[in-house]
Amino acid sequence: MEGLYVYIWPVVIGAAYFAIITLLKKYTRIGYQHGLILPVGLVLFFSAMLLLVAPQDTTGWAGLGYIIMLVLSSVVFITYVLAWFIVSLINKNKQTVR
């Protein structure tokens, strides 16, 4: 259980990012699809850094850092997608009840 505490902050960051995109969706034309750009970009960036830059490091610490950042950015992405899924289910249930 103590090892899972490291995932609390990425989940909080993902939920806060979803809340910001929700507010932007309410007042502008930005949708949830546009909010996927940053988390997917982070995952792709750290994947590319892991594949391209990390093999050039002889100590392996850069690779470890990129793996950690890839996992944390993936948790942010998964949190955003799950929050989007939950909100869409809630909105779908509200529409079917009416």
Side-chain angles (χ1 to χ4, degrees), residues 4-87:
L4 295 177
Y5 288 132
V6 73
Y7 294 110
I8 290 175
W9 287 111
V11 169
V12 169
I13 291 170
Y17 181 67
F18 182 77
I20 291 169
I21 294 297
T22 302
L23 285 175
L24 288 174
K25 183 179 184 283
K26 188 174 184 179
Y27 296 114
T28 62
R29 293 184 182 204
I30 292 176
Y32 292 127
Q33 298 88 356
H34 294 106
L36 282 174
I37 294 171
L38 183 61
V40 170
L42 284 174
V43 170
L44 291 176
F45 173 75
F46 288 121
S47 298
M49 295 297 281
L50 181 64
L51 294 174
L52 300 175
V53 176
Q56 297 173 3
D57 183 32
T58 58
T59 62
W61 289 107
L64 179 63
Y66 290 131
I67 288 172
I68 291 170
M69 292 305 294
L70 179 64
V71 168
L72 294 179
S73 61
S74 297
V75 171
V76 170
F77 171 70
I78 290 169
T79 303
Y80 180 82
V81 171
L82 285 176
W84 184 11
F85 179 71
I86 290 169
V87 166

